[in-house]
Short mmCIF file of all heavy atoms in Angstrom, two decimals:
data_model
loop_
_atom_site.label_atom_id
_atom_site.label_comp_id
_atom_site.label_asym_id
_atom_site.label_seq_id
_atom_site.Cartn_x
_atom_site.Cartn_y
_atom_site.Cartn_z
N LEU A 1331 118.62 102.20 126.06
CA LEU A 1331 118.82 101.36 124.91
C LEU A 1331 117.55 100.48 124.64
O LEU A 1331 117.09 100.35 123.51
CB LEU A 1331 120.01 100.43 125.14
CG LEU A 1331 120.32 99.34 124.06
CD1 LEU A 1331 120.50 99.99 122.70
CD2 LEU A 1331 121.51 98.56 124.47
N ASN A 1332 117.01 99.94 125.69
CA ASN A 1332 115.80 99.09 125.52
C ASN A 1332 114.57 99.93 125.23
O ASN A 1332 113.64 99.44 124.57
CB ASN A 1332 115.61 98.19 126.69
CG ASN A 1332 116.72 97.16 126.71
OD1 ASN A 1332 116.91 96.38 125.75
ND2 ASN A 1332 117.49 97.12 127.78
N LEU A 1333 114.51 101.13 125.69
CA LEU A 1333 113.41 102.05 125.35
C LEU A 1333 113.52 102.33 123.80
O LEU A 1333 112.45 102.32 123.12
CB LEU A 1333 113.49 103.34 126.15
CG LEU A 1333 112.30 104.21 126.18
CD1 LEU A 1333 111.10 103.51 126.75
CD2 LEU A 1333 112.62 105.51 127.05
N THR A 1334 114.68 102.61 123.34
CA THR A 1334 114.90 102.83 121.89
C THR A 1334 114.49 101.59 121.14
O THR A 1334 113.76 101.67 120.10
CB THR A 1334 116.41 103.09 121.65
OG1 THR A 1334 116.75 104.33 122.33
CG2 THR A 1334 116.64 103.33 120.15
N GLY A 1335 114.91 100.42 121.58
CA GLY A 1335 114.54 99.15 120.90
C GLY A 1335 113.01 98.94 120.90
O GLY A 1335 112.48 98.52 119.87
N THR A 1336 112.37 99.32 121.99
CA THR A 1336 110.89 99.24 121.99
C THR A 1336 110.22 100.11 121.01
O THR A 1336 109.29 99.71 120.32
CB THR A 1336 110.37 99.57 123.46
OG1 THR A 1336 110.99 98.62 124.40
CG2 THR A 1336 108.90 99.48 123.53
N GLY A 1337 110.74 101.35 120.88
CA GLY A 1337 110.19 102.29 119.87
C GLY A 1337 110.38 101.76 118.50
O GLY A 1337 109.47 101.80 117.65
N PHE A 1338 111.58 101.22 118.23
CA PHE A 1338 111.86 100.65 116.88
C PHE A 1338 110.92 99.46 116.61
O PHE A 1338 110.40 99.25 115.54
CB PHE A 1338 113.25 100.18 116.70
CG PHE A 1338 114.25 101.36 116.59
CD1 PHE A 1338 115.59 101.13 116.88
CD2 PHE A 1338 113.81 102.61 116.24
CE1 PHE A 1338 116.53 102.17 116.75
CE2 PHE A 1338 114.75 103.64 116.11
CZ PHE A 1338 116.06 103.42 116.38
N PHE A 1339 110.72 98.63 117.64
CA PHE A 1339 109.88 97.43 117.48
C PHE A 1339 108.45 97.86 117.15
O PHE A 1339 107.82 97.35 116.22
CB PHE A 1339 109.91 96.59 118.75
CG PHE A 1339 108.95 95.36 118.62
CD1 PHE A 1339 109.28 94.27 117.95
CD2 PHE A 1339 107.71 95.45 119.27
CE1 PHE A 1339 108.40 93.21 117.86
CE2 PHE A 1339 106.84 94.43 119.19
CZ PHE A 1339 107.13 93.27 118.46
N LEU A 1340 107.96 98.79 117.96
CA LEU A 1340 106.54 99.24 117.70
C LEU A 1340 106.39 99.80 116.33
O LEU A 1340 105.41 99.54 115.64
CB LEU A 1340 106.16 100.25 118.81
CG LEU A 1340 106.04 99.72 120.21
CD1 LEU A 1340 105.76 100.86 121.21
CD2 LEU A 1340 104.86 98.73 120.32
N ARG A 1341 107.32 100.74 115.93
CA ARG A 1341 107.18 101.38 114.62
C ARG A 1341 107.32 100.25 113.51
O ARG A 1341 106.51 100.30 112.58
CB ARG A 1341 108.35 102.31 114.41
CG ARG A 1341 108.53 102.91 113.09
CD ARG A 1341 107.51 103.94 112.65
NE ARG A 1341 107.65 105.08 113.57
CZ ARG A 1341 106.61 105.90 113.88
NH1 ARG A 1341 105.49 105.73 113.27
NH2 ARG A 1341 106.75 106.88 114.71
N GLY A 1342 108.23 99.36 113.64
CA GLY A 1342 108.43 98.32 112.65
C GLY A 1342 107.21 97.39 112.55
O GLY A 1342 106.76 96.96 111.49
N PHE A 1343 106.65 97.03 113.71
CA PHE A 1343 105.48 96.18 113.72
C PHE A 1343 104.30 96.85 112.98
O PHE A 1343 103.64 96.18 112.17
CB PHE A 1343 105.05 95.87 115.21
CG PHE A 1343 103.87 94.95 115.29
CD1 PHE A 1343 104.11 93.58 115.22
CD2 PHE A 1343 102.58 95.39 115.43
CE1 PHE A 1343 103.04 92.68 115.35
CE2 PHE A 1343 101.50 94.54 115.50
CZ PHE A 1343 101.78 93.18 115.47
N LEU A 1344 104.11 98.13 113.26
CA LEU A 1344 103.03 98.88 112.53
C LEU A 1344 103.30 98.93 111.00
O LEU A 1344 102.39 98.75 110.21
CB LEU A 1344 102.92 100.31 113.11
CG LEU A 1344 102.44 100.41 114.56
CD1 LEU A 1344 102.56 101.85 115.03
CD2 LEU A 1344 100.97 99.94 114.65
N GLN A 1345 104.56 99.04 110.66
CA GLN A 1345 104.93 99.13 109.22
C GLN A 1345 104.72 97.79 108.53
O GLN A 1345 104.15 97.77 107.47
CB GLN A 1345 106.41 99.54 109.09
CG GLN A 1345 106.62 100.97 109.45
CD GLN A 1345 108.12 101.28 109.58
OE1 GLN A 1345 108.94 100.40 109.82
NE2 GLN A 1345 108.48 102.56 109.42
N VAL A 1346 105.12 96.71 109.17
CA VAL A 1346 104.95 95.41 108.51
C VAL A 1346 103.49 95.02 108.46
O VAL A 1346 103.05 94.48 107.44
CB VAL A 1346 105.74 94.33 109.33
CG1 VAL A 1346 105.40 92.94 108.83
CG2 VAL A 1346 107.24 94.57 109.20
N ARG A 1347 102.75 95.35 109.48
CA ARG A 1347 101.27 95.03 109.44
C ARG A 1347 100.54 96.12 108.63
O ARG A 1347 99.31 95.96 108.46
CB ARG A 1347 100.74 95.04 110.90
CG ARG A 1347 101.18 93.83 111.69
CD ARG A 1347 100.59 92.60 111.10
NE ARG A 1347 101.05 91.42 111.86
CZ ARG A 1347 100.83 90.22 111.39
NH1 ARG A 1347 100.24 90.05 110.28
NH2 ARG A 1347 101.25 89.20 112.09
N GLN A 1348 101.25 97.02 108.08
CA GLN A 1348 100.68 98.09 107.26
C GLN A 1348 99.54 98.82 107.94
O GLN A 1348 98.48 99.15 107.31
CB GLN A 1348 100.32 97.54 105.83
CG GLN A 1348 101.48 96.99 105.16
CD GLN A 1348 101.17 96.36 103.79
OE1 GLN A 1348 100.03 96.12 103.47
NE2 GLN A 1348 102.21 96.16 103.01
N MET A 1349 99.71 99.06 109.19
CA MET A 1349 98.76 99.83 110.00
C MET A 1349 99.15 101.30 109.94
O MET A 1349 100.35 101.63 110.13
CB MET A 1349 98.73 99.36 111.42
CG MET A 1349 98.40 97.91 111.57
SD MET A 1349 98.68 97.38 113.31
CE MET A 1349 97.24 96.47 113.59
N VAL A 1350 98.27 102.16 109.67
CA VAL A 1350 98.56 103.61 109.66
C VAL A 1350 98.09 104.20 111.04
O VAL A 1350 96.91 104.30 111.29
CB VAL A 1350 97.86 104.30 108.52
CG1 VAL A 1350 98.17 105.81 108.51
CG2 VAL A 1350 98.25 103.69 107.15
N PRO A 1351 99.06 104.48 111.86
CA PRO A 1351 98.69 105.04 113.21
C PRO A 1351 98.19 106.44 113.13
O PRO A 1351 98.53 107.18 112.19
CB PRO A 1351 99.99 104.96 113.96
CG PRO A 1351 101.09 105.10 112.97
CD PRO A 1351 100.51 104.47 111.69
N ASP A 1352 97.31 106.83 114.03
CA ASP A 1352 96.85 108.22 114.11
C ASP A 1352 98.07 109.07 114.57
O ASP A 1352 99.07 108.53 114.96
CB ASP A 1352 95.61 108.36 114.99
CG ASP A 1352 95.88 108.04 116.44
OD1 ASP A 1352 97.03 107.83 116.83
OD2 ASP A 1352 94.87 107.96 117.19
N ARG A 1353 97.87 110.33 114.49
CA ARG A 1353 98.97 111.28 114.84
C ARG A 1353 99.50 111.13 116.23
O ARG A 1353 100.68 111.23 116.45
CB ARG A 1353 98.54 112.72 114.59
CG ARG A 1353 98.34 113.06 113.13
CD ARG A 1353 97.89 114.42 112.88
NE ARG A 1353 98.82 115.37 113.46
CZ ARG A 1353 98.63 116.68 113.48
NH1 ARG A 1353 97.59 117.22 112.92
NH2 ARG A 1353 99.56 117.46 114.02
N THR A 1354 98.59 110.88 117.17
CA THR A 1354 99.01 110.68 118.53
C THR A 1354 99.89 109.48 118.76
O THR A 1354 100.99 109.54 119.37
CB THR A 1354 97.76 110.59 119.48
OG1 THR A 1354 96.94 111.76 119.25
CG2 THR A 1354 98.17 110.55 120.90
N LEU A 1355 99.46 108.31 118.18
CA LEU A 1355 100.22 107.11 118.30
C LEU A 1355 101.54 107.23 117.60
O LEU A 1355 102.61 106.84 118.09
CB LEU A 1355 99.44 105.92 117.78
CG LEU A 1355 100.14 104.56 117.83
CD1 LEU A 1355 100.54 104.18 119.26
CD2 LEU A 1355 99.30 103.48 117.22
N ASP A 1356 101.51 107.86 116.41
CA ASP A 1356 102.72 108.04 115.61
C ASP A 1356 103.74 108.89 116.43
O ASP A 1356 104.93 108.52 116.49
CB ASP A 1356 102.36 108.76 114.31
CG ASP A 1356 103.55 108.81 113.36
OD1 ASP A 1356 104.20 107.75 113.10
OD2 ASP A 1356 103.84 109.90 112.84
N ALA A 1357 103.27 109.96 117.00
CA ALA A 1357 104.18 110.85 117.78
C ALA A 1357 104.68 110.12 119.06
O ALA A 1357 105.84 110.26 119.47
CB ALA A 1357 103.45 112.12 118.16
N SER A 1358 103.83 109.28 119.64
CA SER A 1358 104.23 108.55 120.82
C SER A 1358 105.31 107.53 120.56
O SER A 1358 106.29 107.45 121.29
CB SER A 1358 103.01 107.83 121.45
OG SER A 1358 102.02 108.74 121.85
N VAL A 1359 105.18 106.83 119.46
CA VAL A 1359 106.20 105.83 119.09
C VAL A 1359 107.54 106.51 118.76
O VAL A 1359 108.59 106.10 119.23
CB VAL A 1359 105.72 105.01 117.89
CG1 VAL A 1359 106.84 104.13 117.36
CG2 VAL A 1359 104.52 104.13 118.30
N SER A 1360 107.49 107.66 118.06
CA SER A 1360 108.66 108.44 117.81
C SER A 1360 109.30 108.95 119.06
O SER A 1360 110.52 108.94 119.20
CB SER A 1360 108.38 109.57 116.87
OG SER A 1360 108.02 109.11 115.60
N GLY A 1361 108.44 109.36 120.00
CA GLY A 1361 108.90 109.93 121.26
C GLY A 1361 109.61 108.86 122.10
O GLY A 1361 110.59 109.13 122.79
N ILE A 1362 109.10 107.62 122.06
CA ILE A 1362 109.69 106.52 122.84
C ILE A 1362 111.16 106.32 122.35
O ILE A 1362 112.09 106.33 123.21
CB ILE A 1362 108.83 105.21 122.70
CG1 ILE A 1362 107.55 105.38 123.44
CG2 ILE A 1362 109.65 104.03 123.19
CD1 ILE A 1362 106.57 104.28 123.17
N ALA A 1363 111.33 106.18 121.03
CA ALA A 1363 112.69 105.95 120.54
C ALA A 1363 113.53 107.19 120.77
O ALA A 1363 114.74 107.04 121.08
CB ALA A 1363 112.64 105.67 119.06
N GLY A 1364 113.00 108.34 120.64
CA GLY A 1364 113.76 109.59 120.83
C GLY A 1364 114.22 109.76 122.27
O GLY A 1364 115.37 110.13 122.52
N CYS A 1365 113.32 109.43 123.19
CA CYS A 1365 113.73 109.58 124.67
C CYS A 1365 114.82 108.50 124.98
O CYS A 1365 115.78 108.86 125.70
CB CYS A 1365 112.50 109.29 125.57
SG CYS A 1365 111.34 110.67 125.59
N GLY A 1366 114.72 107.36 124.40
CA GLY A 1366 115.76 106.34 124.63
C GLY A 1366 117.10 106.82 124.08
O GLY A 1366 118.09 106.65 124.77
N HIS A 1367 117.10 107.42 122.92
CA HIS A 1367 118.38 107.97 122.36
C HIS A 1367 118.95 109.08 123.25
O HIS A 1367 120.15 109.12 123.46
CB HIS A 1367 118.14 108.50 120.95
CG HIS A 1367 118.24 107.48 119.91
ND1 HIS A 1367 117.11 106.80 119.46
CD2 HIS A 1367 119.27 107.00 119.18
CE1 HIS A 1367 117.47 105.95 118.50
NE2 HIS A 1367 118.76 106.02 118.33
N MET A 1368 118.07 109.93 123.76
CA MET A 1368 118.58 111.02 124.65
C MET A 1368 119.14 110.49 125.94
O MET A 1368 120.20 110.95 126.37
CB MET A 1368 117.45 112.02 124.88
CG MET A 1368 117.07 112.85 123.73
SD MET A 1368 115.92 114.18 124.07
CE MET A 1368 114.39 113.25 124.26
N ILE A 1369 118.50 109.54 126.53
CA ILE A 1369 119.00 108.88 127.80
C ILE A 1369 120.38 108.28 127.51
O ILE A 1369 121.31 108.47 128.31
CB ILE A 1369 117.97 107.86 128.29
CG1 ILE A 1369 116.68 108.54 128.77
CG2 ILE A 1369 118.61 107.02 129.42
CD1 ILE A 1369 115.53 107.66 129.09
N MET A 1370 120.47 107.54 126.43
CA MET A 1370 121.78 106.92 126.12
C MET A 1370 122.87 107.94 125.88
O MET A 1370 124.01 107.79 126.33
CB MET A 1370 121.67 106.04 124.86
CG MET A 1370 121.00 104.70 125.13
SD MET A 1370 121.13 103.62 123.70
CE MET A 1370 120.28 104.56 122.45
N SER A 1371 122.52 109.02 125.18
CA SER A 1371 123.48 110.07 124.92
C SER A 1371 124.05 110.73 126.19
O SER A 1371 125.29 110.89 126.31
CB SER A 1371 122.85 111.19 124.07
OG SER A 1371 122.46 110.67 122.82
N VAL A 1372 123.18 111.02 127.10
CA VAL A 1372 123.62 111.60 128.37
C VAL A 1372 124.57 110.62 129.11
O VAL A 1372 125.57 110.99 129.64
CB VAL A 1372 122.39 112.03 129.25
CG1 VAL A 1372 122.85 112.35 130.68
CG2 VAL A 1372 121.67 113.17 128.60
N CYS A 1373 124.17 109.34 129.15
CA CYS A 1373 124.95 108.36 129.88
C CYS A 1373 126.34 108.20 129.22
O CYS A 1373 127.36 107.99 129.88
CB CYS A 1373 124.22 106.98 129.91
SG CYS A 1373 122.75 107.06 130.97
N ILE A 1374 126.38 108.14 127.86
CA ILE A 1374 127.62 108.02 127.20
C ILE A 1374 128.56 109.23 127.47
O ILE A 1374 129.72 109.02 127.78
CB ILE A 1374 127.44 107.87 125.66
CG1 ILE A 1374 126.81 106.56 125.32
CG2 ILE A 1374 128.73 108.13 124.88
CD1 ILE A 1374 126.36 106.39 123.87
#
């Protein structure tokens, strides 16, 4: 859950600051939230 929250925070921070991340950072931020969702799904 907190990994997911961290991914959302990072993505949102970049959006509000209007920073365009490179492909690697963009994929990493998506991966953080995605991994958090997968972990929660298995636990549920």
